[in-house]
Every structure is written in structure tokens, then in C-alpha cells.
């Protein structure tokens, strides 16, 4: 699920300040976060799950979100809320009359339909490996257009990559 690290400034009894880092759950974060998006803010969100591998790594990467415009195109990365209340960040695979269909970049199964009203944010860019990656960058376009063709074969591809890495990777 969605989690976010935030920096909190706390005043000490002696007049000093201490910075604390706290992880917020989706239940704590998302009500105010979605209101800020609706008000026009563009906000960062740390990636916490592995479903968007290999494009986005949990704990390392972050996305920048803005409120959805209502106009979606396949390949967009969107934050939506499932009917069970969980927030999910996945790539849009299909747009049909009955709704939107999604899959994470590491997944072979398409989820949907998701109603457009369930979408709470559109990814405008990402911080990947510490560098900004925009929607027109080569790596973004690779995952949008080329990686999409791997749907249905990703599990086997990850197994093959892992075997190659274990066989030919650096020995400690």
C-alpha cells in the first residue's frame, strides 16, 4: 500500500529544533494529500511497493502527482483507489467503455475495470535513482511503449534475469 516518509520539525523544551522522520500510512496521509491535489498542488510520493519494478524501485524512487484531468491515455501511470480503499500506483493498459484497466510494470495480470472517478492522481514525472525522469524521457517512453509488449511474459522474464544475474553476477 501507499506509505510516505515525512520530515517533521519539533521544538524542544530548550528552544531548539529537532527534525524527525516518520512513515505515514495511507489512512493518515491520503485524505489531506488528495485534497491538496484537488486544490492544484503537484506533490511527491515515495514508491512503496514492488509492482512497478523494474521502472520504479520501492524505497529508492518517488513519483510526482497532480490531480487527474479526466483525459487519460494508455501508458499513463495513475494513482487510483480500489473499492476496498487501498491506493494503487499502476500503468494504464486499456481504456474501455466500462472503465480503465491497469497493470503494474512487474505484473502479468490486468486489473479492472476501474472507474475514472477512482483515479486520484496522474504521475507527471519520477525521481529515479536520484534523477528526474519526465514523461518524454527515453526511459519513460521505453516502459510506456516497449515494456508494454512484455505483458503476459514478465514473470518468466524476471526469472530469466535473476538466473543470469546469479550465474554471471559478481562473486563476493
Amino acid at each position: 500500500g501507499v506509505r510516505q516518509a515525512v520530515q517533521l520539525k519539533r521544538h524542544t523544551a530548550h528552544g531548539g529544533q529537532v527534525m524527525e522522520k516518520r512513515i505515514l500510512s495511507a489512512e493518515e496521509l491520503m485524505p489531506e494529500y488528495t485534497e491538496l491535489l484537488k486544490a492544484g498542488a503537484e506533490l511527491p510520493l515515495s514508491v512503496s511497493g514492488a509492482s512497478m519494478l523494474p521502472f520504479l524501485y520501492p524505497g529508492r524512487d518517488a513519483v510526482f502527482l497532480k490531480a487527474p484531468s479526466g483525459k487519460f491515455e494508455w501508458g499513463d501511470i495513475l494513482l487510483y483507489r480500489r473499492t476496498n480503499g487501498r491506493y494503487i500506483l499502476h500503468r494504464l493498459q486499456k481504456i474501455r467503455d466500462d472503465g480503465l484497466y491497469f497493470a503494474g510494470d512487474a505484473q502479468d495480470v490486468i486489473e479492472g475495470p476501474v472507474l475514472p472517478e477512482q483515479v486520484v492522481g496522474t504521475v507527471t514525472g519520477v525521481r529515479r535513482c536520484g534523477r528526474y525522469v519526465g514523461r518524454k524521457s527515453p526511459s519513460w517512453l521505453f516502459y510506456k511503449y516497449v515494456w508494454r509488449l512484455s505483458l503476459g511474459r514478465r514473470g518468466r522474464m524476471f526469472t530469466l534475469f535473476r538466473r543470469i544475474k546469479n550465474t554471471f553476477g559478481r562473486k563476493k
Side-chain angles (χ1 to χ4, degrees):
V2 170
R3 294 187 315 262
Q4 181 70 35
V6 294
Q7 298 286 338
L8 302 171
K9 192 182 291 186
R10 186 171 52 90
H11 296 279
T12 65
H14 304 290
Q17 293 181 352
V18 177
M19 292 299 287
E20 295 178 0
K21 188 174 184 178
R22 191 170 145 226
I23 305 296
L24 298 179
S25 69
E27 293 77 24
E28 294 173 291
L29 174 72
M30 296 312 289
E32 186 171 349
Y33 191 92
T34 54
E35 288 304 313
L36 289 169
L37 290 175
K38 288 177 189 174
E42 183 172 350
L43 301 170
L45 185 69
S46 296
V47 175
S48 61
S51 66
M52 288 299 290
L53 288 168
F55 185 49
L56 299 172
Y57 280 77
R60 181 193 75 183
D61 299 336
V63 296
F64 298 94
L65 292 153
K66 67 176 184 178
S69 66
K71 183 181 178 199
F72 306 112
E73 72 176 57
W74 71 260
D76 285 348
I77 301 173
L78 302 171
L79 179 68
Y80 60 95
R81 188 173 188 185
R82 287 181 176 155
T83 54
N84 68 6
R86 286 196 67 201
Y87 288 89
I88 305 296
L89 184 75
H90 280 169
R91 193 177 299 275
L92 182 59
Q93 299 294 325
K94 297 177 187 176
I95 303 170
R96 294 201 174 141
D97 290 339
D98 64 340
L100 309 171
Y101 291 79
F102 294 90
D105 287 353
Q107 298 177 322
D108 281 323
V109 176
I110 294 179
E111 174 182 352
V114 172
L115 300 176
E117 300 80 42
Q118 291 175 254
V119 177
V120 296
T122 300
V123 175
T124 58
V126 302
R127 186 183 69 237
R128 185 172 189 244
C129 301
R131 300 177 71 187
Y132 182 81
V133 176
R135 293 172 54 100
K136 302 292 184 197
S137 73
S139 61
W140 184 293
L141 296 174
F142 171 82
Y143 284 100
K144 179 178 180 175
Y145 293 106
V146 179
W147 187 252
R148 181 175 193 253
L149 301 174
S150 71
L151 192 63
R153 296 178 283 285
R154 293 174 181 169
R156 291 186 299 268
M157 290 172 62
F158 282 121
T159 300
L160 176 63
F161 292 152
R162 194 170 29 258
R163 286 182 183 159
I164 290 169
K165 182 180 176 185
N166 290 340
T167 302
F168 299 104
R170 290 187 187 164
K171 306 286 186 210
K172 291 184 180 183

